[in-house]
Amino acid sequence: MTRDFVYSTSPAHIVFGSGKAGTVGEWIDRIGCRRALVLSTPHQRADAERLAETLGSRAAGIFAGAVMHTPVEVTERAMEIVRQTGADCVVSLGGGSTTGLGKAIAYRTDLPQIVIPTTYAGSEVTPILGQTEGGRKTTVRSAAILPEVVIYDPALTLGLPVGMSVTSGLNAMAHAVEALYAEDRNPVSSLMAAEGLRAFKRSLPAIVATPEDGEARAEALYGAWLCGTVLGTVGMALHHKICHTLGGRFDTPHADTHAIMLPHTAAFNAVAVPDLTAPVAEVFGGSVGGGLWDFARAAGAPLALKDLGLSEKDLDLTAEIATQNPYRNPRPIDRPSIRALLQDAWEGRRPD
Ligand code: NAD
């Protein structure tokens, strides 16, 4: 029987296709803008320069200073460039860090955003912005934060290193797994979550085997869109709480942290909601946690928190912070069980 639900869609334009990054100029016109500030990380500056060149007079300038966790100081420097150049929109070319900077600018100015994602993090389809100030990470949600146009162009992801492709894919899959048991899930979010998992099940092994496989890259971006969309529409739980705690407190790398934690948090919650997590076992085989862990291991993902430089003492603090304030989770949370789960993840043990 269908349960009661609320279904809201996001108003963004989603564009898929190899070579579609070449249509950015048209999209700038279509959203009624004239001059875009192109954003990237320092690492992707050359790609941003190439893109700005193709935009000609529609490019107001480039800011290639995006970094992880969207520090407010970096946003303020970018805001200065926005003012100097008179840009009336931003084009974010890159992963979650670059998208985060574009969102931070939009949050302050309401400038429209066009995002060209080059990882699978999924931030481009959420109205959520995480930013850091003085070492503290805060999260805001607002309609102004949701990008107006997203262009998924697999050609720009062919060079995403295999290791990052795998961890980024597992990061995306974590959004889907938590969406399956979200309190505010709806039939469409559950369909999208299961389809997102299937897309990564098919594409990640193919990418590991042949990183330049355009079909597999396209399918992974399709998965990223699905998984990111559910992240933006339904509530996340234990898994995201723990990863947020580890990243915020110990600065562990975002995608690696998600990749390592996913089999453990999924196994923990599967005990309470086996019917809701059944699609995970169907897609990956075996048990929910074991199937995810085997898939991650076969793809060469990191499996142990100790390899991220965490000590066992850090796990005590993580368990304490992650259980301090109550939040929705399908299985009741207590400190000893979360500490035990973290120990398993630290050692890289396969969950049952
Ligand atoms: P990232 O954006 O930090 O990218 C990591 C590095 O890889 C960067 O140097 C980047 O330039 C490089 N890179 C990206 N794409 C590449 C490509 N195709 N080829 C070569 N190099 C490439 O990593 P990420 O995991 O995409 O993003 C992590 C950040 O996104 C975190 O700060 C996280 O909090 C945020 N995030 C936010 C949301 C949200 O909804 N607000 C969702 C997911 C992630």
Side-chain angles (χ1 to χ4, degrees):
M1 204 175 70
T2 309
R3 55 201 283 282
D4 295 355
F5 66 89
V6 174
Y7 170 62
S8 312
T9 51
S10 85
H13 299 281
I14 307 293
V15 182
F16 261 92
S18 189
K20 292 289 183 191
T23 64
V24 176
E26 287 165 36
W27 280 101
I28 292 174
D29 296 344
R30 280 182 69 165
I31 60 173
C33 294
R34 296 167 59 92
R35 285 162 53 77
L37 180 65
V38 179
L39 308 173
S40 76
T41 61
H43 181 74
Q44 288 175 288
R45 175 187 280 277
D47 293 334
E49 282 171 353
R50 261 193 300 278
L51 180 70
E53 229 168 82
T54 65
L55 291 181
S57 61
R58 293 193 192 96
I62 296 171
F63 180 82
V67 294
M68 190 87 98
H69 305 316
T70 328
V72 168
E73 314 83 80
V74 173
T75 302
E76 278 163 4
R77 277 200 282 125
M79 287 288 297
E80 193 49 47
I81 310 293
V82 171
R83 278 189 287 270
Q84 280 169 16
T85 57
D88 60 3
C89 62
V90 296
V91 174
S92 309
L93 172 68
S97 297
T98 304
T99 304
L101 175 61
K103 287 175 158 184
I105 293 171
Y107 181 56
R108 288 160 175 79
T109 59
D110 212 12
L111 288 189
Q113 307 163 67
I114 298 174
V115 183
I116 308 171
T118 62
T119 70
Y120 311 131
S123 175
E124 65 279 358
V125 280
T126 81
I128 308 161
L129 163 66
Q131 44 186 1
T132 47
E133 187 164 23
R136 261 195 69 232
K137 185 161 182 170
T138 52
T139 303
V140 278
R141 196 179 250 272
S142 147
I145 292 170
L146 182 76
E148 279 70 6
V149 181
V150 183
I151 302 178
Y152 289 102
D153 185 342
L156 295 178
T157 63
L158 299 179
L160 183 65
V162 167
M164 272 189 57
S165 303
V166 169
T167 53
S168 191
L170 287 160
N171 178 192
M173 284 163 48
H175 310 328
V177 171
E178 292 229 295
L180 288 173
Y181 52 63
E183 175 105 358
D184 54 353
R185 67 191 179 278
N186 62 64
V188 176
S189 65
S190 300
L191 279 172
M192 291 183 97
E195 176 70 351
L197 292 173
R198 278 191 292 272
F200 281 113
K201 167 70 168 46
R202 290 188 294 253
S203 59
L204 284 186
I207 289 170
V208 170
T210 316
E212 301 80 22
D213 180 339
E215 285 287 312
R217 290 293 187 178
E219 181 141 40
L221 275 183
Y222 170 61
W225 168 58
L226 293 163
C227 295
T229 301
V230 295
L231 169 70
T233 45
V234 301
M236 297 288 115
L238 175 69
H239 173 83
H240 283 74
K241 178 73 180 179
I242 290 181
C243 293
H244 197 115
T245 305
L246 287 168
R249 188 67 184 76
F250 302 106
D251 208 21
T252 56
H254 179 83
D256 295 49
T257 309
H258 276 270
I260 294 169
M261 289 310 308
L262 178 60
H264 299 278
T265 52
F268 180 85
N269 279 335
V271 172
V273 281
D275 48 337
L276 298 180
T277 52
V280 182
E282 276 160 29
V283 173
F284 295 97
S287 65
V288 168
L292 285 169
W293 193 90
D294 292 341
F295 178 74
R297 192 169 81 142
L303 296 170
L305 286 179
K306 65 180 173 201
D307 297 337
L308 302 186
L310 288 172
S311 71
E312 286 185 82
K313 238 178 85 213
D314 298 336
L315 305 183
D316 297 336
L317 187 58
T318 305
E320 190 186 320
I321 300 173
T323 54
Q324 238 161 26
N325 302 313
Y327 52 91
R328 283 179 183 171
N329 192 62
R331 181 171 165 188
I333 292 164
D334 59 74
R335 205 152 116 193
S337 49
I338 298 309
R339 178 62 183 79
L341 178 158
L342 285 164
Q343 186 70 32
D344 287 346
W346 188 79
E347 287 174 16
R349 210 175 278 148
R350 181 185 186 276
D352 293 332

